[in-house]
């Protein structure tokens, strides 16, 4: 999912503080990207994430990047529940 987002020329979010709604959106996107782990940091260092681009394909790609990070969180929670035998 992360690679599909990059192929769609998605924007990697960075934290930005303005008004409340903008702050929540940008910090939420940033946290979602950071949860993708080493992929996000290597892409930031290599410069593979362009700045803001207009278009619906780029916007969907950005959602794919955030979704990939949130799926990683879901996998970690599931692994924790299995390890602590909280899950049947």
């Amino acid at each position: 999912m992360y690679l599909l987002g990059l192929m769609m020329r998605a924007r990697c979010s960075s934290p930005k503080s303005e008004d409340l709604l903008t702050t929540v959106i940008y910090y939420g996107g940033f946290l979602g990207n950071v949860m993708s782990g080493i992929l996000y940091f290597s892409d930031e260092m290599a410069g593979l994430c362009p700045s803001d681009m207009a278009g619906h394909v780029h916007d969907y790609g950005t959602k794919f990047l955030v979704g990939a990070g949130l799926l990683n969180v879901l996998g970690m929670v599931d692994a924790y529940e299995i390890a602590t035998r909280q899950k049947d």
Side-chain angles (χ1 to χ4, degrees):
M1 194 169 185
Y2 191 86
L3 294 176
L4 285 174
L6 279 182
M7 287 191 293
M8 295 170 126
R9 304 285 297 157
R11 178 182 56 86
C12 292
S13 298
S14 58
K16 192 184 289 188
S17 297
E18 291 179 14
D19 60 341
L20 181 63
L21 182 62
T22 304
T23 302
V24 168
I25 289 172
Y26 277 97
Y27 272 92
F30 175 69
L31 289 176
N33 283 340
V34 167
M35 292 301 151
S36 293
I38 192 74
L39 292 173
Y40 170 72
F41 294 112
S42 63
D43 292 340
E44 278 290 321
M45 286 185 192
L48 294 177
C49 296
S51 59
D52 255 343
M53 297 177 79
H56 62 279
V57 174
H58 310 297
D59 191 40
Y60 282 120
T62 303
K63 304 307 184 268
F64 272 35
L65 293 185
V66 174
L70 295 177
L71 283 173
N72 283 342
V73 172
L74 184 65
M76 288 186 277
V77 169
D78 191 40
Y80 174 77
E81 287 179 350
I82 291 171
T84 58
R85 300 189 190 271
Q86 295 177 356
K87 191 171 190 173
D88 293 334

